[in-house]
Amino acid sequence: LGGAGLEEIDISAIGGKIGNLKTIKIQSNAQLAAAKKKFAGVKAVKEEAIELEEITPEAKTEIAKINQIVNTYRPQIASRYRVESMKYDMYGTMNITLYIEENGTIVAVEFDITVGSHFTDEFLEIVRAIILKWKIPVKEAQIFEFRQKFVKQ
């Protein structure tokens, strides 16, 4: 709201009893570092982990569920890329890491841009804003990484 770095949230979709809802929009490296510190004991998983045999069936189910939900949201990112790539020459691949709290809220998003890729800071902020609105139900806090590829139009 305004230029204060605050984000308006429609809590009607939560269903009423929300208790103490506190959301922070991460806009600086210091805030990202604090979010990472909060998730220090959480093991990060990648979407490819669904295929690994060394993880438990319960963990596979949880990862598969997260991956399925992320896949339903991915078109939002692809759609925005099509719009933004008409304005700016952008292309490449990025790994996107989500920091998901126990209540399903994504509290931080981190990008790892592969070498040879090019994205504007504006596009990355738009993608971050889109992802921060996602809700991913989990049993416990999770760090989930997925890869997104963008091809020149």
Side-chain angles (χ1 to χ4, degrees), residues 78-103:
S79 175
R80 194 56 196 220
Y81 171 75
R82 286 190 295 278
V83 171
E84 295 299 314
S85 65
M86 287 185 211
K87 296 188 259 183
Y88 307 104
D89 187 27
M90 296 187 298
Y91 51 86
T93 304
M94 64 176 76
N95 291 322
I96 303 172
T97 304
L98 311 177
Y99 294 83
I100 311 165
E101 286 193 329
E102 292 169 347
N103 65 2

Side-chain angles (χ1 to χ4, degrees), residues 65-80:
K65 187 173 96 178
I66 294 169
N67 192 52
Q68 181 181 14
I69 293 168
V70 167
N71 284 337
T72 62
Y73 285 131
R74 277 185 197 228
Q76 294 175 357
I77 299 171
S79 175
R80 194 56 196 220

Side-chain angles (χ1 to χ4, degrees), residues 10-147:
D10 179 7
I11 59 173
S12 64
I14 298 174
K17 299 178 183 170
I18 58 169
N20 243 350
L21 180 66
K22 186 175 181 182
T23 302
I24 299 171
K25 183 176 180 183
I26 295 183
Q27 295 184 318
S28 70
N29 288 336
Q31 288 174 313
L32 178 59
K36 283 179 157 183
K37 186 177 180 181
K38 183 177 179 179
F39 282 78
V42 178
K43 184 179 179 194
V45 294
K46 298 182 180 184
E47 62 185 328
E48 304 90 44
I50 298 167
E51 307 300 324
L52 297 178
E53 293 181 17
E54 67 257 11
I55 61 174
T56 66
E58 296 82 20
K60 276 187 184 182
T61 302
E62 183 83 353
I63 295 165
K65 187 173 96 178
I66 294 169
N67 192 52
Q68 181 181 14
I69 293 168
V70 167
N71 284 337
T72 62
Y73 285 131
R74 277 185 197 228
Q76 294 175 357
I77 299 171
S79 175
R80 194 56 196 220
Y81 171 75
R82 286 190 295 278
V83 171
E84 295 299 314
S85 65
M86 287 185 211
K87 296 188 259 183
Y88 307 104
D89 187 27
M90 296 187 298
Y91 51 86
T93 304
M94 64 176 76
N95 291 322
I96 303 172
T97 304
L98 311 177
Y99 294 83
I100 311 165
E101 286 193 329
E102 292 169 347
N103 65 2
T105 301
I106 298 172
V107 294
V109 179
E110 189 173 23
F111 302 102
D112 180 20
I113 311 298
T114 59
V115 176
S117 299
H118 175 69
F119 301 101
T120 64
D121 290 340
E122 179 183 352
F123 175 68
L124 295 177
E125 287 308 311
I126 290 168
V127 171
R128 178 176 281 116
I130 289 169
I131 293 173
L132 287 172
K133 293 178 183 173
W134 296 358
K135 190 81 166 173
I136 302 177
V138 291
K139 293 180 182 172
E140 58 187 36
Q142 294 282 343
I143 301 172
F144 183 77
E145 181 181 305
F146 67 98
R147 182 175 285 251

